[in-house]
Amino acid sequence: MCVMAPISTPTRVLLADDHSLVRAGIRRLLEEFAATEVVGEAADGLAALALVKLHQPDVLIADLTMPRLNGLELAGEVARQCPATKVLMLSMHVDEECVRRAFHRGAKGYLVKDSTASELEVAVRAVARGDTYLSPAVSKYFVAGFLDQCEAPHDGSEGLTPRQRQILQLVAEGHT
């Protein structure tokens, strides 16, 4: 008896970048990935939004800076009008504010343009399955900022003198 493997549907991707060579390069990389299908390309945000509505891709890879509707505005519109399409923001910017704004607008991933092909594949797969993806080139800044904002763990006795701590310890141990 022959058992057939389940047929997996390809991840449908739409590209939006105002540079045709960048789009062509990303398309070529995506076509090499298993179970990935590029369903369209757009050179500006308004065209991308129209194609998202038409093709309903799983993932929209959108450049942060595009004419007519920038990537941030596009991410917001896609999240509002076509929530099944997940946005992977693509940018050369690694600053914390750009990343924060992208996620605030509805992006599910942020990939820097100097990433490797394997990182692109990981990012597309993660975003397609509903996970959040943050490029390692950017995540180190967020982790550092997070650690800076975290307070050191405390036990509530910071304002006590050594003698007061000793008394508190004795009371905790059941002494009068």
PDB file of all heavy atoms in Angstrom, residues 5-27:
ATOM      1  N   ALA A   5       2.183  11.530   0.495  1.00  0.00           N
ATOM      2  CA  ALA A   5       2.489  12.648   1.385  1.00  0.00           C
ATOM      3  C   ALA A   5       1.457  13.739   1.164  1.00  0.00           C
ATOM      4  O   ALA A   5       0.948  13.912   0.049  1.00  0.00           O
ATOM      5  CB  ALA A   5       3.884  13.179   1.098  1.00  0.00           C
ATOM      6  N   PRO A   6       1.120  14.486   2.220  1.00  0.00           N
ATOM      7  CA  PRO A   6       0.144  15.566   2.043  1.00  0.00           C
ATOM      8  C   PRO A   6       0.686  16.617   1.088  1.00  0.00           C
ATOM      9  O   PRO A   6       1.875  16.923   1.092  1.00  0.00           O
ATOM     10  CB  PRO A   6      -0.032  16.133   3.449  1.00  0.00           C
ATOM     11  CG  PRO A   6       1.139  15.662   4.230  1.00  0.00           C
ATOM     12  CD  PRO A   6       1.627  14.412   3.578  1.00  0.00           C
ATOM     13  N   ILE A   7      -0.173  17.114   0.249  1.00  0.00           N
ATOM     14  CA  ILE A   7       0.220  18.157  -0.696  1.00  0.00           C
ATOM     15  C   ILE A   7       0.172  19.491   0.034  1.00  0.00           C
ATOM     16  O   ILE A   7      -0.865  19.874   0.566  1.00  0.00           O
ATOM     17  CB  ILE A   7      -0.728  18.181  -1.910  1.00  0.00           C
ATOM     18  CG1 ILE A   7      -0.659  16.843  -2.647  1.00  0.00           C
ATOM     19  CG2 ILE A   7      -0.393  19.330  -2.829  1.00  0.00           C
ATOM     20  CD1 ILE A   7      -1.690  16.688  -3.733  1.00  0.00           C
ATOM     21  N   SER A   8       1.306  20.155   0.048  1.00  0.00           N
ATOM     22  CA  SER A   8       1.334  21.457   0.716  1.00  0.00           C
ATOM     23  C   SER A   8       1.111  22.550  -0.324  1.00  0.00           C
ATOM     24  O   SER A   8       1.660  22.508  -1.419  1.00  0.00           O
ATOM     25  CB  SER A   8       2.662  21.678   1.439  1.00  0.00           C
ATOM     26  OG  SER A   8       3.713  21.734   0.504  1.00  0.00           O
ATOM     27  N   THR A   9       0.293  23.476   0.016  1.00  0.00           N
ATOM     28  CA  THR A   9       0.052  24.580  -0.898  1.00  0.00           C
ATOM     29  C   THR A   9       1.214  25.550  -0.801  1.00  0.00           C
ATOM     30  O   THR A   9       1.757  25.771   0.286  1.00  0.00           O
ATOM     31  CB  THR A   9      -1.268  25.293  -0.558  1.00  0.00           C
ATOM     32  OG1 THR A   9      -1.196  25.748   0.792  1.00  0.00           O
ATOM     33  CG2 THR A   9      -2.454  24.374  -0.736  1.00  0.00           C
ATOM     34  N   PRO A  10       1.608  26.124  -1.907  1.00  0.00           N
ATOM     35  CA  PRO A  10       2.747  27.041  -1.863  1.00  0.00           C
ATOM     36  C   PRO A  10       2.395  28.335  -1.133  1.00  0.00           C
ATOM     37  O   PRO A  10       1.236  28.748  -1.089  1.00  0.00           O
ATOM     38  CB  PRO A  10       3.046  27.317  -3.337  1.00  0.00           C
ATOM     39  CG  PRO A  10       1.798  26.994  -4.065  1.00  0.00           C
ATOM     40  CD  PRO A  10       1.090  25.948  -3.261  1.00  0.00           C
ATOM     41  N   THR A  11       3.401  28.942  -0.551  1.00  0.00           N
ATOM     42  CA  THR A  11       3.247  30.259   0.059  1.00  0.00           C
ATOM     43  C   THR A  11       3.192  31.267  -1.074  1.00  0.00           C
ATOM     44  O   THR A  11       4.121  31.367  -1.882  1.00  0.00           O
ATOM     45  CB  THR A  11       4.433  30.572   0.994  1.00  0.00           C
ATOM     46  OG1 THR A  11       4.482  29.571   2.010  1.00  0.00           O
ATOM     47  CG2 THR A  11       4.276  31.940   1.631  1.00  0.00           C
ATOM     48  N   ARG A  12       2.107  32.005  -1.133  1.00  0.00           N
ATOM     49  CA  ARG A  12       1.896  32.975  -2.207  1.00  0.00           C
ATOM     50  C   ARG A  12       2.424  34.334  -1.758  1.00  0.00           C
ATOM     51  O   ARG A  12       2.006  34.852  -0.732  1.00  0.00           O
ATOM     52  CB  ARG A  12       0.411  33.029  -2.555  1.00  0.00           C
ATOM     53  CG  ARG A  12      -0.098  31.643  -2.991  1.00  0.00           C
ATOM     54  CD  ARG A  12      -1.593  31.588  -3.194  1.00  0.00           C
ATOM     55  NE  ARG A  12      -1.930  32.261  -4.432  1.00  0.00           N
ATOM     56  CZ  ARG A  12      -2.606  33.408  -4.516  1.00  0.00           C
ATOM     57  NH1 ARG A  12      -3.057  33.995  -3.437  1.00  0.00           N
ATOM     58  NH2 ARG A  12      -2.843  33.953  -5.683  1.00  0.00           N
ATOM     59  N   VAL A  13       3.348  34.898  -2.544  1.00  0.00           N
ATOM     60  CA  VAL A  13       4.050  36.116  -2.163  1.00  0.00           C
ATOM     61  C   VAL A  13       3.848  37.193  -3.221  1.00  0.00           C
ATOM     62  O   VAL A  13       3.896  36.921  -4.416  1.00  0.00           O
ATOM     63  CB  VAL A  13       5.567  35.842  -1.986  1.00  0.00           C
ATOM     64  CG1 VAL A  13       6.310  37.114  -1.605  1.00  0.00           C
ATOM     65  CG2 VAL A  13       5.801  34.754  -0.949  1.00  0.00           C
ATOM     66  N   LEU A  14       3.653  38.419  -2.750  1.00  0.00           N
ATOM     67  CA  LEU A  14       3.589  39.591  -3.623  1.00  0.00           C
ATOM     68  C   LEU A  14       4.747  40.497  -3.241  1.00  0.00           C
ATOM     69  O   LEU A  14       5.024  40.679  -2.049  1.00  0.00           O
ATOM     70  CB  LEU A  14       2.254  40.324  -3.426  1.00  0.00           C
ATOM     71  CG  LEU A  14       2.044  41.526  -4.340  1.00  0.00           C
ATOM     72  CD1 LEU A  14       1.382  41.069  -5.631  1.00  0.00           C
ATOM     73  CD2 LEU A  14       1.192  42.564  -3.667  1.00  0.00           C
ATOM     74  N   LEU A  15       5.424  41.061  -4.234  1.00  0.00           N
ATOM     75  CA  LEU A  15       6.569  41.951  -4.002  1.00  0.00           C
ATOM     76  C   LEU A  15       6.190  43.393  -4.285  1.00  0.00           C
ATOM     77  O   LEU A  15       5.548  43.674  -5.298  1.00  0.00           O
ATOM     78  CB  LEU A  15       7.731  41.581  -4.926  1.00  0.00           C
ATOM     79  CG  LEU A  15       8.279  40.175  -4.820  1.00  0.00           C
ATOM     80  CD1 LEU A  15       9.317  39.937  -5.912  1.00  0.00           C
ATOM     81  CD2 LEU A  15       8.896  39.979  -3.457  1.00  0.00           C
ATOM     82  N   ALA A  16       6.618  44.303  -3.418  1.00  0.00           N
ATOM     83  CA  ALA A  16       6.390  45.726  -3.640  1.00  0.00           C
ATOM     84  C   ALA A  16       7.673  46.480  -3.318  1.00  0.00           C
ATOM     85  O   ALA A  16       8.090  46.552  -2.157  1.00  0.00           O
ATOM     86  CB  ALA A  16       5.244  46.233  -2.773  1.00  0.00           C
ATOM     87  N   ASP A  17       8.311  46.994  -4.346  1.00  0.00           N
ATOM     88  CA  ASP A  17       9.542  47.781  -4.203  1.00  0.00           C
ATOM     89  C   ASP A  17       9.635  48.667  -5.428  1.00  0.00           C
ATOM     90  O   ASP A  17       9.335  48.229  -6.538  1.00  0.00           O
ATOM     91  CB  ASP A  17      10.763  46.859  -4.104  1.00  0.00           C
ATOM     92  CG  ASP A  17      12.006  47.590  -3.635  1.00  0.00           C
ATOM     93  OD1 ASP A  17      12.439  48.556  -4.324  1.00  0.00           O
ATOM     94  OD2 ASP A  17      12.558  47.217  -2.589  1.00  0.00           O
ATOM     95  N   ASP A  18      10.052  49.905  -5.244  1.00  0.00           N
ATOM     96  CA  ASP A  18      10.108  50.821  -6.374  1.00  0.00           C
ATOM     97  C   ASP A  18      11.351  50.644  -7.246  1.00  0.00           C
ATOM     98  O   ASP A  18      11.491  51.305  -8.263  1.00  0.00           O
ATOM     99  CB  ASP A  18       9.980  52.280  -5.902  1.00  0.00           C
ATOM    100  CG  ASP A  18      11.002  52.674  -4.872  1.00  0.00           C
ATOM    101  OD1 ASP A  18      11.449  51.809  -4.100  1.00  0.00           O
ATOM    102  OD2 ASP A  18      11.370  53.862  -4.819  1.00  0.00           O
ATOM    103  N   HIS A  19      12.229  49.735  -6.898  1.00  0.00           N
ATOM    104  CA  HIS A  19      13.427  49.465  -7.701  1.00  0.00           C
ATOM    105  C   HIS A  19      13.249  48.133  -8.431  1.00  0.00           C
ATOM    106  O   HIS A  19      13.176  47.079  -7.796  1.00  0.00           O
ATOM    107  CB  HIS A  19      14.672  49.421  -6.818  1.00  0.00           C
ATOM    108  CG  HIS A  19      14.950  50.727  -6.157  1.00  0.00           C
ATOM    109  ND1 HIS A  19      14.536  51.010  -4.878  1.00  0.00           N
ATOM    110  CD2 HIS A  19      15.583  51.839  -6.614  1.00  0.00           C
ATOM    111  CE1 HIS A  19      14.912  52.242  -4.571  1.00  0.00           C
ATOM    112  NE2 HIS A  19      15.538  52.761  -5.607  1.00  0.00           N
ATOM    113  N   SER A  20      13.180  48.190  -9.761  1.00  0.00           N
ATOM    114  CA  SER A  20      12.892  46.986 -10.538  1.00  0.00           C
ATOM    115  C   SER A  20      13.980  45.930 -10.398  1.00  0.00           C
ATOM    116  O   SER A  20      13.672  44.733 -10.376  1.00  0.00           O
ATOM    117  CB  SER A  20      12.659  47.335 -12.010  1.00  0.00           C
ATOM    118  OG  SER A  20      13.810  47.958 -12.542  1.00  0.00           O
ATOM    119  N   LEU A  21      15.229  46.318 -10.278  1.00  0.00           N
ATOM    120  CA  LEU A  21      16.297  45.327 -10.102  1.00  0.00           C
ATOM    121  C   LEU A  21      16.192  44.616  -8.759  1.00  0.00           C
ATOM    122  O   LEU A  21      16.456  43.415  -8.664  1.00  0.00           O
ATOM    123  CB  LEU A  21      17.676  45.977 -10.237  1.00  0.00           C
ATOM    124  CG  LEU A  21      18.123  46.312 -11.655  1.00  0.00           C
ATOM    125  CD1 LEU A  21      19.465  47.034 -11.632  1.00  0.00           C
ATOM    126  CD2 LEU A  21      18.202  45.072 -12.522  1.00  0.00           C
ATOM    127  N   VAL A  22      15.797  45.333  -7.732  1.00  0.00           N
ATOM    128  CA  VAL A  22      15.605  44.722  -6.417  1.00  0.00           C
ATOM    129  C   VAL A  22      14.468  43.709  -6.490  1.00  0.00           C
ATOM    130  O   VAL A  22      14.595  42.577  -6.003  1.00  0.00           O
ATOM    131  CB  VAL A  22      15.332  45.792  -5.332  1.00  0.00           C
ATOM    132  CG1 VAL A  22      14.932  45.150  -4.011  1.00  0.00           C
ATOM    133  CG2 VAL A  22      16.553  46.689  -5.149  1.00  0.00           C
ATOM    134  N   ARG A  23      13.357  44.105  -7.113  1.00  0.00           N
ATOM    135  CA  ARG A  23      12.235  43.175  -7.264  1.00  0.00           C
ATOM    136  C   ARG A  23      12.650  41.929  -8.037  1.00  0.00           C
ATOM    137  O   ARG A  23      12.310  40.808  -7.659  1.00  0.00           O
ATOM    138  CB  ARG A  23      11.048  43.842  -7.969  1.00  0.00           C
ATOM    139  CG  ARG A  23      10.253  44.788  -7.116  1.00  0.00           C
ATOM    140  CD  ARG A  23       8.915  45.163  -7.750  1.00  0.00           C
ATOM    141  NE  ARG A  23       8.936  45.382  -9.180  1.00  0.00           N
ATOM    142  CZ  ARG A  23       9.220  46.538  -9.770  1.00  0.00           C
ATOM    143  NH1 ARG A  23       9.510  47.598  -9.047  1.00  0.00           N
ATOM    144  NH2 ARG A  23       9.191  46.648 -11.093  1.00  0.00           N
ATOM    145  N   ALA A  24      13.383  42.119  -9.121  1.00  0.00           N
ATOM    146  CA  ALA A  24      13.815  40.985  -9.944  1.00  0.00           C
ATOM    147  C   ALA A  24      14.715  40.046  -9.147  1.00  0.00           C
ATOM    148  O   ALA A  24      14.576  38.815  -9.235  1.00  0.00           O
ATOM    149  CB  ALA A  24      14.537  41.477 -11.189  1.00  0.00           C
ATOM    150  N   GLY A  25      15.600  40.599  -8.357  1.00  0.00           N
ATOM    151  CA  GLY A  25      16.489  39.775  -7.541  1.00  0.00           C
ATOM    152  C   GLY A  25      15.738  39.000  -6.476  1.00  0.00           C
ATOM    153  O   GLY A  25      15.989  37.803  -6.277  1.00  0.00           O
ATOM    154  N   ILE A  26      14.815  39.658  -5.810  1.00  0.00           N
ATOM    155  CA  ILE A  26      14.026  38.975  -4.773  1.00  0.00           C
ATOM    156  C   ILE A  26      13.132  37.918  -5.412  1.00  0.00           C
ATOM    157  O   ILE A  26      12.998  36.815  -4.878  1.00  0.00           O
ATOM    158  CB  ILE A  26      13.205  39.994  -3.946  1.00  0.00           C
ATOM    159  CG1 ILE A  26      14.157  40.893  -3.152  1.00  0.00           C
ATOM    160  CG2 ILE A  26      12.248  39.281  -3.005  1.00  0.00           C
ATOM    161  CD1 ILE A  26      13.481  42.056  -2.472  1.00  0.00           C
ATOM    162  N   ARG A  27      12.542  38.235  -6.540  1.00  0.00           N
ATOM    163  CA  ARG A  27      11.704  37.259  -7.242  1.00  0.00           C
ATOM    164  C   ARG A  27      12.522  36.010  -7.567  1.00  0.00           C
ATOM    165  O   ARG A  27      12.078  34.887  -7.340  1.00  0.00           O
ATOM    166  CB  ARG A  27      11.125  37.839  -8.527  1.00  0.00           C
ATOM    167  CG  ARG A  27      10.342  36.794  -9.331  1.00  0.00           C
ATOM    168  CD  ARG A  27       9.895  37.331 -10.678  1.00  0.00           C
ATOM    169  NE  ARG A  27       8.603  37.966 -10.654  1.00  0.00           N
ATOM    170  CZ  ARG A  27       7.435  37.322 -10.731  1.00  0.00           C
ATOM    171  NH1 ARG A  27       7.415  36.018 -10.801  1.00  0.00           N
ATOM    172  NH2 ARG A  27       6.305  37.972 -10.721  1.00  0.00           N
TER     173      ARG A  27
END
